[in-house]
Each structure stands twice: as C-alpha cells, then as structure tokens.
Amino acid sequence: MSAEATNPEAHPEARPELRRRGRTRLDLRRLGRAALLGPTSRDRLPDAIGHVAEAHRAHHPDADLSILRRAYLLAETSHRGQMRKSGEPYITHPLAVTLILAELGAETTTLTASLLHDTVEDTDVTLEQVRAEFGDEVCFIVDGVTKVEKIDYGAAAEPETFRKMLVATGNDVRVMSIKLADRLHNMRTLGVMRPEKQARIAKVTRDVLIPLAERLGVQALKTELEDLVFAILHPEEYESTRALIAAHAGERDPLPAIADSVRGVLRDAGIAAEVEVRPRHFVSVHRISRTRGELRGSDFGRILVLVGENADCYAVLGELHTCFTPVVSEFKDFIATPKFNLYQSLHTAFATPEGFVAEVIVRTRQMHRVAEAGVVALGNPYATATPDPATDPDEERVDPTRPGWLSRLLDWQQSAPDPDTFWTVLRAELAQDREITVFRDDGSATGTISLPAGASCIDAAYAQHGEAAHGCIGARVNGRLTSLSSALSDGDTVQLLLAQDASSGPAAEWLDHARTPAARIAISSWLESHPDRAMATTSAARAPLSVVGARGGGGNAVADLPDATVRLAGCCTPVPPDAVAGFLVRGGAVTVHRIHCASVAQMRAVGRTSVAVHWRATADCRVTLRAESFGRPHLLADLTEAIAREGVEVVSATVEPPVEQRVRHSYTLQLPDAAGLPALMRAMRDVPGVYDVSRV
C-alpha cells in the first residue's frame, strides 16, 4: 500500500505558515523518522510512539494508552524487516498515519486500528488474531481498511480500490479517516518516485481524495493535500506562489495589528474570545491572486475568532459590524445553515481606516474542532448502534452521522457496470458542492431525500424507488402537478406518480435532466437493454387524436342580445349555477366566462363590450373536463364507457400523445343535469390509471 513512499521531508515548504505561527494548532508535520523498538518497561509506552501518546492525551486526557502500546508492539514485530524505498523501517508509516489522526483528535479505537492498518495485508497477522487481541471494533475497522485480495486490475486498479474503500466506509466512517491519513503521508513521501508516477498519484488525490476530505469536513488534511498536489501537478505556478508568499514574509503584515484592534473591541464589549491570525495555505493564495490580481498584505491570511457559545458568535458579529465598516457582500451565515460536511462558522469582512480589507471567521471552539477534523472529531458514532457488524458482517451498520452524499455513493456504486463508468461518475458526483433536502409524500409515509443541488424529480424518483422509478410518469411538487424534468429546491415536498404497467420504461430524454449517478446509470442500463423501446421514446410526437360530436354552441347559457351566438369559454368551462359574465367578440358572438376567470379582467382591460348572460331554466349544461392518467391500453375506451354510464353525452374528445408515460384526455361533455358533475368526475377518477380529473 505504501511501500513505495519514501522521503518524509518532501515539500516541507508547502505550509510555511505553520513555522511562522506562534500558537498551538494541529501540526501534521512533526513526525520525522520514528525510533525502532527499544528496551521499555511494561508500564510505559515505547519511545517510538511517544508523540502519538502526547497528541492523543491532549484531546483525551483520560484515554487508556495500554491498548496503543500493545498495538504498536504487534505492528512493529509483524513489520520488522520490511523497509520503505527510502530505506526507513516500514513501521514509520503506520506511526506517521496514527500521529496524523491523533493530532486531529481521533479516539483510541481509531488510533489502534491505524497502527494495525497494514498488518493483515502485508504481514502474517490475521483478522482473527486482531479480533482476539483487540476486540471486534478494531478488527472491523482493520478489515475495512485492508485490501482483502491482491488482484491485478491493470488500469482498473485505482477505481476498484476506491470502490472497496467506499463500501468499507459505508459501514464505518473511521475507515475513510485512516485512508485519508494514509494518503496524506504517502503524498508527503513521493520524492523518489518517477515523475510520471508522482503525477498519476497526485491526479487521483486531486480528483477523489481531496473532495472526499472536503465532504467529510477534514479541512486539516484537505488543505495540506491540496498544497502537495499543487506542487506536483503545477510546479511553475507553485513556485510563483511560493515566491509571492516569501516576498510577503519580508514585508510588514497588517493583520496582527488588525487582530489587536478586534481584541480591544471585543474586550470592551465584555465578550470572552480568542483572536488569532490564520495564514492562507498555498492553494488559497494562488486562487485569490487569480481573482484579485495584485495582493495586499491583508490578503495573505484571515482573522479567526473563537468563542464559547453560538450566541457569542452573533454578538461578535454585531460588534465588528458596529465598530468597523463591513463588506456586506462577504457575509455568510454557516451556523444557521451548516454546510453538508458539518462546517459551521460566520464569515464576514470589514475595511480598516488604513484601507485594508480583513476577512474574519467567527466560530465556537467546538465548531473549530469539527471544522478542522470533521468526522474524526465525532469520536465513535457507533457506540450505541445496533446491530453489531462484528457478529453479523453482512448487516449494515446504523450510522447517525452518515451524510446523504455517502449513502448515494454506496447505492449507485453497486450498479456501475464497469470500473471506467464508476470512476467517471464518482468524479462527477464528488464535484457537486451543494446539497438539498426534499420531503417525500407517498400517501403512507413522509421522509426526506438528500439530493445534489440542481436535481430533478427524476433523481428523486430513483432515490426513493430504485428501478421501480422506470414507471414514473409525473410528480406533484408542493401539491402541484409537474413534469419529471422539473428541478427541485431545498425544502420541496415531492409526491411521485408511478404507472401501474410493469413494462413501463424511461424516455431517453430523462438523461438530460438526471443529475445523480444512480438515476443516470439506471436509465442508461434500461435503454441499452430495450433498444426498440428507446427508439420509440424519441420518435416524433403524434398529432392529438380527436373525436368530435355533432353538438356545439353555448349550452343553456342565454345572452341578453337578440340573435347573438353564445359560446361557453374553454378556459373556465362555466356550468350552472356558476356566476358568469359575457363579452362581445369578433363575428358578433358572445363568449361566456366564469366571473372569477382571469380572462374576464383581460376582456375588460381591452375594452370588450360586456353583455349580460344568464342560465336557462333547464338543468342541462356543457363542460370540459381534463383527465390526467397513466398510459395503458384501452384507457380511452374505459373512460368513454365510464362517462356513458353516467348518462353524459360526449361532444368532443382529444387525446394528446404520451409524454413521460403520462397521457392527457380532454372531453367536452353535455350533462343532462349540472348537479351530476361531481359524480361524473368521481366516476372518471375511478377508472384504473386515472389519477386526476379537473375542469379545464
């Protein structure tokens, strides 16, 4: 896994701000060459993991370190004789990975598994031995990290490795934490590899590992990985940025003085807070230099304010905006609306009297810990979870912290037909940087669906129903009927409508509106397995089928205008005893609308002559109804039969071509009695496949 890694001092300049910073923080670069196991007493840790013990106790003062001692002894003994390409003992790698996690605040179980993460793969140690010595939990994590089988996938090796990693991570997010720390140490030690191999590993890290670190909220790992990748893939821009930072280091930095001003303001306001300057890392400096052009002294860092409670964050914000000139466009509230990776903070900026613009981040200390370490800071999310995956390995573990994006990855990766498709779609999925949550309402249960921003009803259908969504024909969003291509917004309520015909399938046009990998893979697979049906869905739309009867006119509406032709408006289809209004139109005809029809205001606005109209004493009436239904054979015949059973005459009928498995029927009907209209509409709704009947 990491036997190719070498020089642990590679790219030490990638984070020069860590050397300049005179405060305690997560320092991921401290570990040099670890000492080999030397004489130790039974009651203390070997010297080689003294750094790990110190970092771990800083976050967990009461932690039992005896299990770390036993794990180190097993790891060192089993790896003894194995060397890295740099000539270092192999045990330095698991030690470095474990220190990274200890600095982030990982709990003891994670650190124990990290020390052992290569033993089962690269030595004679077995999972049974790990379970017997360290328990089911550590064994479960080690098993998740281990490559169970060494198969030469050739070009597919990297995709298959990450597919396994995702599956393992789905059962325990701590597996991903160890994998990220493992990759970080390997990225630090790429010095002796061939340039082309360095570039290949850096590209994979850029495309997959860095987005995963971002989504898991582990900013401390993400920022260093970004700098290391930047140095390998863009050496010229990296050197230019390094020179820019070096030139700034020799100039007067205005941020410390600005931080002192902020401290004074908060002290006068009685707000207890820590204020410090956080220099930007290389990639951040490079990005803002491209957007802002020439950088000023305050652009090379940001001010971080740490407080105790959430309310203090807003108190700090109020003082800053009162005492300084705020830059309103820079304000963002990630406390009220956290990012999908658990990140919470207030972001703002203000202008100083000297003309500098200082960016400020305000958060609580707990928010700061989560912002730096993400899921690593959550400890063991499975402490009370059931069932126990150690006793039933096939049972999925209940994870209250698993984000929606990870669940989606686990779902669609099972359907990815080949490694290339998996790799391409994985990169596209990880490129999504925002999520929305919609509420589902299927008549029997209400729950939530997490989707990427820009997702459509098609994505919601496959997220909720899987392959059964092939028969989806429409949706109601917030109670209103809409097409499957409609984009969803955060907080929408979605009711999906499924066809009863099991042979229904998606249209090729669905791929234009599907955003999630699960939906796109399922649709593509169906279209490939049904080429004839796929061609049919893309054929030109047919003209509507119309059946017209012999009657017409204004039904039993009478206008107070002799010899005038009376027409019932098709936009609102008035029937007795609706309140109506009449207007004279071209040709001397009078068109009759319901009084609340939108066309009434339009007629008056254009100056149409108003004509008094009333209903005849007879009870018969004419009305136009629209039936929304699933496409199926004999539907027109069944609807016509239902109408006939109610004793209603069909004046005309129009059937539109199917759209997304949905068919729309419009009927102009002559009713013998207007009181029978509700019963007629109920009879039409009772026809199998019809899900809505309304007056036009």
Side-chain angles (χ1 to χ4, degrees):
M1 180 186 299
S2 54
E4 299 175 0
T6 54
N7 181 13
E9 300 300 321
H11 306 297
E13 71 279 9
R15 299 291 299 277
E17 68 273 15
L18 301 186
R19 300 194 301 272
R20 299 199 304 267
R21 196 171 301 169
R23 62 184 177 83
T24 301
R25 70 177 303 278
L26 295 172
D27 183 359
L28 304 182
R29 310 301 304 276
R30 286 198 310 169
L31 187 63
R33 298 173 182 268
L36 288 174
L37 179 63
T40 59
S41 61
R42 290 182 176 273
D43 60 350
R44 74 182 186 89
L45 290 166
D47 293 338
I49 55 171
H51 291 299
V52 174
E54 178 187 350
H56 188 38
R57 278 285 172 82
H59 292 278
H60 304 277
D62 300 326
D64 179 10
L65 301 180
S66 62
I67 189 173
L68 292 180
R69 179 182 187 279
R70 291 188 286 115
Y72 173 78
L73 291 174
L74 177 59
E76 196 282 327
T77 303
S78 59
H79 286 299
R80 186 173 294 169
Q82 295 179 350
M83 308 296 286
R84 310 189 82 210
K85 280 195 172 182
S86 62
E88 295 173 322
Y90 190 85
I91 188 61
T92 59
H93 171 68
L95 272 171
V97 172
T98 306
L99 179 63
I100 289 171
L101 295 170
E103 295 272 8
L104 290 171
E107 38 83 45
T108 308
T109 302
T110 303
L111 300 185
T112 305
S114 176
L115 283 169
L116 301 170
H117 78 271
D118 277 342
T119 55
V120 175
E121 177 188 354
D122 295 337
T123 75
D124 294 332
V125 175
T126 66
L127 285 173
E128 289 69 24
Q129 289 176 290
V130 174
R131 179 179 288 110
E133 182 71 19
F134 301 99
D136 293 333
E137 198 75 11
V138 172
C139 178
F140 186 81
I141 300 174
V142 172
D143 186 30
V145 179
T146 300
K147 296 179 191 151
V148 178
E149 50 187 355
K150 295 182 179 180
I151 300 176
D152 183 9
Y153 292 99
E158 202 75 37
E160 288 300 325
T161 297
F162 282 101
R163 189 195 293 264
K164 291 179 183 179
M165 182 176 64
L166 285 174
V167 174
T169 300
N171 285 328
D172 199 315
V173 292
R174 291 172 293 182
V175 172
M176 183 70 77
S177 302
I178 296 173
K179 281 287 188 179
L180 287 171
D182 177 89
R183 178 54 68 99
L184 175 56
H185 184 245
N186 287 340
M187 283 296 299
R188 290 173 177 173
T189 57
L190 290 180
V192 300
M193 288 187 180
R194 300 187 307 275
E196 59 271 18
K197 192 161 190 178
Q198 291 186 37
R200 180 182 65 81
I201 295 174
K203 287 177 182 177
V204 172
T205 304
R206 177 196 63 191
D207 295 341
V208 178
L209 268 299
I210 289 175
L212 283 174
E214 167 74 16
R215 285 172 174 251
L216 291 171
V218 195
Q219 294 296 321
L221 300 187
K222 178 214 168 193
T223 53
E224 187 175 352
L225 284 172
E226 282 185 328
D227 285 347
L228 293 168
V229 167
F230 184 42
I232 293 173
L233 297 183
H234 305 284
E236 294 182 0
E237 293 178 342
Y238 172 81
E239 287 299 328
S240 174
T241 304
R242 189 168 67 88
L244 191 63
I245 293 175
H248 166 69
E251 300 174 353
R252 177 180 173 273
D253 189 348
L255 286 177
I258 297 174
D260 286 338
S261 299
V262 172
R263 290 189 191 96
V265 166
L266 300 182
R267 184 172 54 250
D268 293 343
I271 301 174
E274 299 175 33
V275 181
E276 57 189 50
V277 176
R278 284 175 63 96
R280 294 181 183 273
H281 64 106
F282 272 47
V283 172
S284 179
V285 171
H286 175 67
R287 287 171 180 160
I288 65 169
S289 67
R290 296 186 64 180
T291 58
R292 300 179 186 177
E294 184 177 353
L295 299 183
R296 305 187 66 190
S298 59
D299 293 329
F300 287 86
R302 293 183 289 188
I303 295 175
L304 174 66
V305 180
L306 299 179
V307 294
E309 303 293 337
N310 287 18
D312 295 336
C313 295
Y314 294 98
V316 170
L317 182 71
E319 292 297 325
L320 294 180
H321 283 192
T322 300
C323 298
F324 301 98
T325 303
V327 180
V328 179
S329 61
E330 294 296 322
F331 173 66
K332 297 181 180 65
D333 187 347
F334 295 118
I335 295 178
T337 55
K339 291 185 178 181
F340 62 85
N341 61 359
L342 311 177
Y343 179 87
Q344 288 184 287
S345 292
L346 295 178
H347 288 206
T348 189
F350 61 80
T352 68
E354 295 79 16
F356 294 109
V357 175
E359 296 183 34
V360 184
I361 301 173
V362 185
R363 59 174 70 133
T364 67
R365 293 173 183 84
Q366 174 60 21
M367 291 176 189
H368 180 59
R369 184 184 175 204
V370 174
E372 291 285 288
V375 295
V376 179
L378 299 178
N380 180 6
Y382 314 97
T384 59
T386 57
D388 185 356
T391 58
D392 187 359
D394 295 329
E395 186 70 32
E396 184 172 294
R397 187 176 272 210
V398 178
D399 179 4
T401 69
R402 178 191 291 178
W405 64 265
L406 180 54
S407 296
R408 291 199 305 273
L409 287 181
L410 294 170
D411 289 339
W412 68 256
Q413 66 85 23
Q414 300 176 13
S415 304
D418 57 76
D420 290 338
T421 300
F422 165 76
W423 192 243
T424 301
V425 180
L426 173 64
R427 292 170 59 183
E429 169 73 0
L430 292 177
Q432 300 285 343
D433 61 354
R434 289 199 308 115
E435 276 195 348
I436 62 172
T437 299
V438 299
F439 298 90
R440 70 172 189 264
D441 184 1
D442 54 13
S444 59
T446 301
T448 60
I449 305 173
S450 295
L451 297 168
S456 66
C457 294
I458 295 172
D459 300 302
Y462 282 95
Q464 180 174 348
H465 296 291
E467 291 189 357
H470 292 332
C472 199
I473 61 163
R476 292 183 185 275
V477 177
N478 302 325
R480 301 186 64 179
L481 194 66
T482 186
S483 67
L484 286 174
S485 60
S486 299
L488 297 170
S489 300
D490 195 39
D492 282 347
T493 298
V494 183
Q495 179 185 3
L496 299 160
L497 308 173
L498 300 181
Q500 297 177 340
D501 185 1
S503 64
S504 298
E509 291 80 6
W510 287 17
L511 289 172
D512 297 332
H513 306 287
R515 296 292 179 266
T516 58
R520 296 187 62 82
I521 290 174
I523 295 168
S524 298
S525 298
W526 190 93
L527 294 174
E528 290 174 4
S529 60
H530 299 78
D532 296 338
R533 297 283 298 277
M535 290 293 293
T537 61
T538 58
S539 60
R542 301 185 304 272
L545 170 65
S546 298
V547 180
V548 183
R551 296 188 58 174
N556 53 359
V558 178
D560 292 344
L561 190 65
D563 302 324
T565 301
V566 178
R567 300 172 182 168
L568 298 180
C571 56
C572 56
T573 59
V575 298
D578 292 341
V580 291
F583 295 91
L584 191 64
V585 295
R586 292 185 181 88
V590 175
T591 180
V592 180
H593 297 264
R594 281 191 277 178
I595 195 67
H596 297 298
C597 177
S599 297
V600 171
Q602 296 175 2
M603 290 287 189
R604 289 171 177 164
V606 298
R608 295 289 186 186
T609 303
S610 178
V611 178
V613 292
H614 63 275
W615 299 109
R616 290 194 184 97
T618 56
D620 68 318
C621 67
R622 181 173 297 182
V623 64
T624 299
L625 299 180
R626 176 175 294 155
E628 302 278 357
S629 59
F630 309 129
R632 66 172 180 85
H634 311 299
L635 179 61
L636 178 61
D638 292 345
L639 268 170
T640 305
E641 182 180 354
I643 294 170
R645 283 199 302 267
E646 297 298 316
V648 175
E649 178 185 354
V650 178
V651 178
S652 66
T654 301
V655 182
E656 299 178 11
V659 177
E660 296 181 345
Q661 303 282 323
R662 188 179 63 194
V663 182
R664 175 177 292 172
H665 303 248
S666 297
Y667 295 91
T668 299
L669 307 171
Q670 189 72 28
L671 280 69
D673 188 343
L677 181 59
L680 170 64
M681 296 176 70
R682 284 195 299 270
M684 294 174 67
R685 288 193 186 100
D686 290 340
V687 174
V690 176
Y691 58 84
D692 193 24
V693 176
S694 60
R695 291 172 64 180
V696 174

